[in-house]
Structure formats: structure tokens, C-alpha cells
Amino acid sequence: MKIRMSGTLAELRAARALLGETFDVREASEPYPNRGDSQLYRLYLDAEIRTEARSGDEQ
């Protein structure tokens, strides 16, 4: 699963930690500054849902 997040550096750190509780994160990029005068950054993750977090019905 590919995930793109956008937010402040603090938001990205917090979201990355929370996602790590549900997903096995295989790769995570460094934060990239958004274009222009934005104060936000982008972060890209490659992850899969942890086996124990799955509900049993895989779709």
C-alpha cells in the first residue's frame, strides 16, 4: 500500500508513529517541502496492514 501524507513536520511525525501501530511500514521517505510558500511537507510510505490488525475478511 502506498500512502502519501501532507502536513507540518510535527503532524507527519505524529501520524507516522500512529500508522506504525497498525501498519508494517516497509519504507518511509524523508519529508519533502511542498512547493511555493507552503509551510507543509510531504511524506511517502510503503506499508501493509499488520496481520493481527486484519479483521479476517480480506478483500
PDB file of all heavy atoms in Angstrom, residues 5-13 31-43:
ATOM      1  N   MET A   5       1.311  11.439   2.747  1.00  0.00           N
ATOM      2  CA  MET A   5       0.801  12.309   3.797  1.00  0.00           C
ATOM      3  C   MET A   5       1.307  13.715   3.561  1.00  0.00           C
ATOM      4  O   MET A   5       2.407  13.910   3.035  1.00  0.00           O
ATOM      5  CB  MET A   5       1.265  11.828   5.171  1.00  0.00           C
ATOM      6  CG  MET A   5       0.810  10.440   5.523  1.00  0.00           C
ATOM      7  SD  MET A   5       1.156   9.975   7.234  1.00  0.00           S
ATOM      8  CE  MET A   5       2.933  10.044   7.284  1.00  0.00           C
ATOM      9  N   SER A   6       0.516  14.683   3.962  1.00  0.00           N
ATOM     10  CA  SER A   6       0.908  16.081   3.849  1.00  0.00           C
ATOM     11  C   SER A   6       0.552  16.783   5.142  1.00  0.00           C
ATOM     12  O   SER A   6      -0.560  16.610   5.663  1.00  0.00           O
ATOM     13  CB  SER A   6       0.184  16.735   2.666  1.00  0.00           C
ATOM     14  OG  SER A   6       0.581  18.075   2.511  1.00  0.00           O
ATOM     15  N   GLY A   7       1.491  17.565   5.680  1.00  0.00           N
ATOM     16  CA  GLY A   7       1.232  18.288   6.927  1.00  0.00           C
ATOM     17  C   GLY A   7       2.492  18.963   7.421  1.00  0.00           C
ATOM     18  O   GLY A   7       3.521  18.983   6.736  1.00  0.00           O
ATOM     19  N   THR A   8       2.428  19.491   8.623  1.00  0.00           N
ATOM     20  CA  THR A   8       3.616  20.083   9.235  1.00  0.00           C
ATOM     21  C   THR A   8       4.558  18.950   9.639  1.00  0.00           C
ATOM     22  O   THR A   8       4.150  17.780   9.704  1.00  0.00           O
ATOM     23  CB  THR A   8       3.247  20.905  10.479  1.00  0.00           C
ATOM     24  OG1 THR A   8       2.713  20.018  11.474  1.00  0.00           O
ATOM     25  CG2 THR A   8       2.256  22.017  10.161  1.00  0.00           C
ATOM     26  N   LEU A   9       5.783  19.289   9.940  1.00  0.00           N
ATOM     27  CA  LEU A   9       6.726  18.249  10.364  1.00  0.00           C
ATOM     28  C   LEU A   9       6.237  17.537  11.627  1.00  0.00           C
ATOM     29  O   LEU A   9       6.334  16.316  11.731  1.00  0.00           O
ATOM     30  CB  LEU A   9       8.115  18.854  10.585  1.00  0.00           C
ATOM     31  CG  LEU A   9       8.849  19.297   9.326  1.00  0.00           C
ATOM     32  CD1 LEU A   9      10.148  20.012   9.689  1.00  0.00           C
ATOM     33  CD2 LEU A   9       9.124  18.116   8.417  1.00  0.00           C
ATOM     34  N   ALA A  10       5.675  18.291  12.562  1.00  0.00           N
ATOM     35  CA  ALA A  10       5.157  17.682  13.797  1.00  0.00           C
ATOM     36  C   ALA A  10       3.988  16.749  13.496  1.00  0.00           C
ATOM     37  O   ALA A  10       3.899  15.654  14.061  1.00  0.00           O
ATOM     38  CB  ALA A  10       4.734  18.767  14.784  1.00  0.00           C
ATOM     39  N   GLU A  11       3.086  17.167  12.608  1.00  0.00           N
ATOM     40  CA  GLU A  11       1.955  16.312  12.231  1.00  0.00           C
ATOM     41  C   GLU A  11       2.424  15.044  11.546  1.00  0.00           C
ATOM     42  O   GLU A  11       1.906  13.952  11.818  1.00  0.00           O
ATOM     43  CB  GLU A  11       1.003  17.073  11.306  1.00  0.00           C
ATOM     44  CG  GLU A  11       0.243  18.185  11.992  1.00  0.00           C
ATOM     45  CD  GLU A  11      -0.516  19.058  11.017  1.00  0.00           C
ATOM     46  OE1 GLU A  11      -0.099  19.200   9.844  1.00  0.00           O
ATOM     47  OE2 GLU A  11      -1.535  19.624  11.445  1.00  0.00           O
ATOM     48  N   LEU A  12       3.408  15.163  10.661  1.00  0.00           N
ATOM     49  CA  LEU A  12       3.918  13.980   9.959  1.00  0.00           C
ATOM     50  C   LEU A  12       4.577  13.006  10.923  1.00  0.00           C
ATOM     51  O   LEU A  12       4.381  11.788  10.817  1.00  0.00           O
ATOM     52  CB  LEU A  12       4.899  14.393   8.863  1.00  0.00           C
ATOM     53  CG  LEU A  12       4.293  15.144   7.680  1.00  0.00           C
ATOM     54  CD1 LEU A  12       5.394  15.582   6.724  1.00  0.00           C
ATOM     55  CD2 LEU A  12       3.251  14.314   6.971  1.00  0.00           C
ATOM     56  N   ARG A  13       5.337  13.513  11.886  1.00  0.00           N
ATOM     57  CA  ARG A  13       5.967  12.639  12.887  1.00  0.00           C
ATOM     58  C   ARG A  13       4.903  11.896  13.690  1.00  0.00           C
ATOM     59  O   ARG A  13       4.996  10.691  13.909  1.00  0.00           O
ATOM     60  CB  ARG A  13       6.867  13.445  13.823  1.00  0.00           C
ATOM     61  CG  ARG A  13       8.246  13.701  13.284  1.00  0.00           C
ATOM     62  CD  ARG A  13       9.179  14.228  14.363  1.00  0.00           C
ATOM     63  NE  ARG A  13       8.755  15.534  14.859  1.00  0.00           N
ATOM     64  CZ  ARG A  13       9.116  16.704  14.337  1.00  0.00           C
ATOM     65  NH1 ARG A  13       9.921  16.735  13.309  1.00  0.00           N
ATOM     66  NH2 ARG A  13       8.689  17.824  14.852  1.00  0.00           N
ATOM     67  N   PRO A  31      10.859  13.829   4.797  1.00  0.00           N
ATOM     68  CA  PRO A  31       9.862  14.840   4.444  1.00  0.00           C
ATOM     69  C   PRO A  31      10.378  15.754   3.327  1.00  0.00           C
ATOM     70  O   PRO A  31      11.532  16.181   3.357  1.00  0.00           O
ATOM     71  CB  PRO A  31       9.670  15.639   5.737  1.00  0.00           C
ATOM     72  CG  PRO A  31      10.199  14.766   6.821  1.00  0.00           C
ATOM     73  CD  PRO A  31      11.269  13.928   6.194  1.00  0.00           C
ATOM     74  N   TYR A  32       9.527  15.985   2.334  1.00  0.00           N
ATOM     75  CA  TYR A  32       9.840  16.899   1.235  1.00  0.00           C
ATOM     76  C   TYR A  32       9.028  18.178   1.430  1.00  0.00           C
ATOM     77  O   TYR A  32       7.816  18.101   1.633  1.00  0.00           O
ATOM     78  CB  TYR A  32       9.423  16.302  -0.119  1.00  0.00           C
ATOM     79  CG  TYR A  32      10.195  15.089  -0.540  1.00  0.00           C
ATOM     80  CD1 TYR A  32       9.669  13.818  -0.342  1.00  0.00           C
ATOM     81  CD2 TYR A  32      11.421  15.213  -1.169  1.00  0.00           C
ATOM     82  CE1 TYR A  32      10.361  12.694  -0.751  1.00  0.00           C
ATOM     83  CE2 TYR A  32      12.130  14.092  -1.586  1.00  0.00           C
ATOM     84  CZ  TYR A  32      11.588  12.832  -1.368  1.00  0.00           C
ATOM     85  OH  TYR A  32      12.277  11.723  -1.773  1.00  0.00           O
ATOM     86  N   PRO A  33       9.658  19.339   1.347  1.00  0.00           N
ATOM     87  CA  PRO A  33       8.869  20.573   1.455  1.00  0.00           C
ATOM     88  C   PRO A  33       7.922  20.713   0.269  1.00  0.00           C
ATOM     89  O   PRO A  33       8.286  20.375  -0.861  1.00  0.00           O
ATOM     90  CB  PRO A  33       9.908  21.690   1.452  1.00  0.00           C
ATOM     91  CG  PRO A  33      11.225  21.070   1.162  1.00  0.00           C
ATOM     92  CD  PRO A  33      11.079  19.584   1.169  1.00  0.00           C
ATOM     93  N   ASN A  34       6.698  21.174   0.543  1.00  0.00           N
ATOM     94  CA  ASN A  34       5.763  21.450  -0.540  1.00  0.00           C
ATOM     95  C   ASN A  34       6.251  22.641  -1.342  1.00  0.00           C
ATOM     96  O   ASN A  34       7.063  23.444  -0.864  1.00  0.00           O
ATOM     97  CB  ASN A  34       4.356  21.713   0.008  1.00  0.00           C
ATOM     98  CG  ASN A  34       3.642  20.447   0.401  1.00  0.00           C
ATOM     99  OD1 ASN A  34       4.098  19.345   0.141  1.00  0.00           O
ATOM    100  ND2 ASN A  34       2.508  20.599   1.046  1.00  0.00           N
ATOM    101  N   ARG A  35       5.748  22.770  -2.548  1.00  0.00           N
ATOM    102  CA  ARG A  35       6.181  23.847  -3.432  1.00  0.00           C
ATOM    103  C   ARG A  35       5.649  25.195  -2.971  1.00  0.00           C
ATOM    104  O   ARG A  35       4.671  25.278  -2.232  1.00  0.00           O
ATOM    105  CB  ARG A  35       5.701  23.571  -4.848  1.00  0.00           C
ATOM    106  CG  ARG A  35       6.345  22.339  -5.437  1.00  0.00           C
ATOM    107  CD  ARG A  35       5.893  22.133  -6.869  1.00  0.00           C
ATOM    108  NE  ARG A  35       6.562  20.981  -7.421  1.00  0.00           N
ATOM    109  CZ  ARG A  35       5.964  19.895  -7.855  1.00  0.00           C
ATOM    110  NH1 ARG A  35       4.655  19.819  -7.828  1.00  0.00           N
ATOM    111  NH2 ARG A  35       6.660  18.893  -8.339  1.00  0.00           N
ATOM    112  N   GLY A  36       6.296  26.234  -3.442  1.00  0.00           N
ATOM    113  CA  GLY A  36       5.844  27.590  -3.160  1.00  0.00           C
ATOM    114  C   GLY A  36       6.147  28.018  -1.741  1.00  0.00           C
ATOM    115  O   GLY A  36       7.120  27.587  -1.134  1.00  0.00           O
ATOM    116  N   ASP A  37       5.298  28.848  -1.212  1.00  0.00           N
ATOM    117  CA  ASP A  37       5.489  29.400   0.131  1.00  0.00           C
ATOM    118  C   ASP A  37       4.850  28.549   1.223  1.00  0.00           C
ATOM    119  O   ASP A  37       4.686  29.006   2.346  1.00  0.00           O
ATOM    120  CB  ASP A  37       4.902  30.818   0.200  1.00  0.00           C
ATOM    121  CG  ASP A  37       5.668  31.804  -0.665  1.00  0.00           C
ATOM    122  OD1 ASP A  37       6.870  31.564  -0.908  1.00  0.00           O
ATOM    123  OD2 ASP A  37       5.069  32.808  -1.089  1.00  0.00           O
ATOM    124  N   SER A  38       4.471  27.333   0.903  1.00  0.00           N
ATOM    125  CA  SER A  38       3.791  26.462   1.856  1.00  0.00           C
ATOM    126  C   SER A  38       4.691  26.136   3.043  1.00  0.00           C
ATOM    127  O   SER A  38       5.907  25.983   2.907  1.00  0.00           O
ATOM    128  CB  SER A  38       3.381  25.157   1.160  1.00  0.00           C
ATOM    129  OG  SER A  38       2.767  24.296   2.093  1.00  0.00           O
ATOM    130  N   GLN A  39       4.079  26.025   4.194  1.00  0.00           N
ATOM    131  CA  GLN A  39       4.782  25.606   5.407  1.00  0.00           C
ATOM    132  C   GLN A  39       4.626  24.100   5.643  1.00  0.00           C
ATOM    133  O   GLN A  39       5.029  23.589   6.674  1.00  0.00           O
ATOM    134  CB  GLN A  39       4.218  26.366   6.621  1.00  0.00           C
ATOM    135  CG  GLN A  39       4.367  27.865   6.507  1.00  0.00           C
ATOM    136  CD  GLN A  39       5.829  28.283   6.443  1.00  0.00           C
ATOM    137  OE1 GLN A  39       6.634  27.886   7.287  1.00  0.00           O
ATOM    138  NE2 GLN A  39       6.175  29.064   5.443  1.00  0.00           N
ATOM    139  N   LEU A  40       4.034  23.406   4.657  1.00  0.00           N
ATOM    140  CA  LEU A  40       3.760  21.985   4.795  1.00  0.00           C
ATOM    141  C   LEU A  40       4.784  21.135   4.062  1.00  0.00           C
ATOM    142  O   LEU A  40       5.507  21.619   3.198  1.00  0.00           O
ATOM    143  CB  LEU A  40       2.356  21.673   4.260  1.00  0.00           C
ATOM    144  CG  LEU A  40       1.209  22.422   4.928  1.00  0.00           C
ATOM    145  CD1 LEU A  40      -0.107  22.051   4.273  1.00  0.00           C
ATOM    146  CD2 LEU A  40       1.171  22.164   6.419  1.00  0.00           C
ATOM    147  N   TYR A  41       4.817  19.865   4.442  1.00  0.00           N
ATOM    148  CA  TYR A  41       5.741  18.890   3.867  1.00  0.00           C
ATOM    149  C   TYR A  41       4.959  17.673   3.413  1.00  0.00           C
ATOM    150  O   TYR A  41       3.831  17.452   3.845  1.00  0.00           O
ATOM    151  CB  TYR A  41       6.772  18.461   4.912  1.00  0.00           C
ATOM    152  CG  TYR A  41       7.712  19.557   5.307  1.00  0.00           C
ATOM    153  CD1 TYR A  41       7.330  20.546   6.201  1.00  0.00           C
ATOM    154  CD2 TYR A  41       8.998  19.606   4.777  1.00  0.00           C
ATOM    155  CE1 TYR A  41       8.202  21.557   6.557  1.00  0.00           C
ATOM    156  CE2 TYR A  41       9.877  20.611   5.129  1.00  0.00           C
ATOM    157  CZ  TYR A  41       9.475  21.588   6.026  1.00  0.00           C
ATOM    158  OH  TYR A  41      10.334  22.589   6.355  1.00  0.00           O
ATOM    159  N   ARG A  42       5.588  16.845   2.561  1.00  0.00           N
ATOM    160  CA  ARG A  42       5.015  15.577   2.108  1.00  0.00           C
ATOM    161  C   ARG A  42       5.906  14.445   2.605  1.00  0.00           C
ATOM    162  O   ARG A  42       7.123  14.578   2.679  1.00  0.00           O
ATOM    163  CB  ARG A  42       4.971  15.516   0.575  1.00  0.00           C
ATOM    164  CG  ARG A  42       4.133  16.557  -0.059  1.00  0.00           C
ATOM    165  CD  ARG A  42       4.154  16.471  -1.593  1.00  0.00           C
ATOM    166  NE  ARG A  42       5.447  16.308  -2.225  1.00  0.00           N
ATOM    167  CZ  ARG A  42       6.318  17.287  -2.472  1.00  0.00           C
ATOM    168  NH1 ARG A  42       6.049  18.511  -2.112  1.00  0.00           N
ATOM    169  NH2 ARG A  42       7.457  17.036  -3.072  1.00  0.00           N
ATOM    170  N   LEU A  43       5.267  13.331   2.889  1.00  0.00           N
ATOM    171  CA  LEU A  43       5.983  12.134   3.320  1.00  0.00           C
ATOM    172  C   LEU A  43       5.319  10.950   2.627  1.00  0.00           C
ATOM    173  O   LEU A  43       4.091  10.863   2.581  1.00  0.00           O
ATOM    174  CB  LEU A  43       5.877  11.973   4.843  1.00  0.00           C
ATOM    175  CG  LEU A  43       6.580  10.781   5.465  1.00  0.00           C
ATOM    176  CD1 LEU A  43       8.090  10.969   5.401  1.00  0.00           C
ATOM    177  CD2 LEU A  43       6.155  10.611   6.908  1.00  0.00           C
TER     178      LEU A  43
END
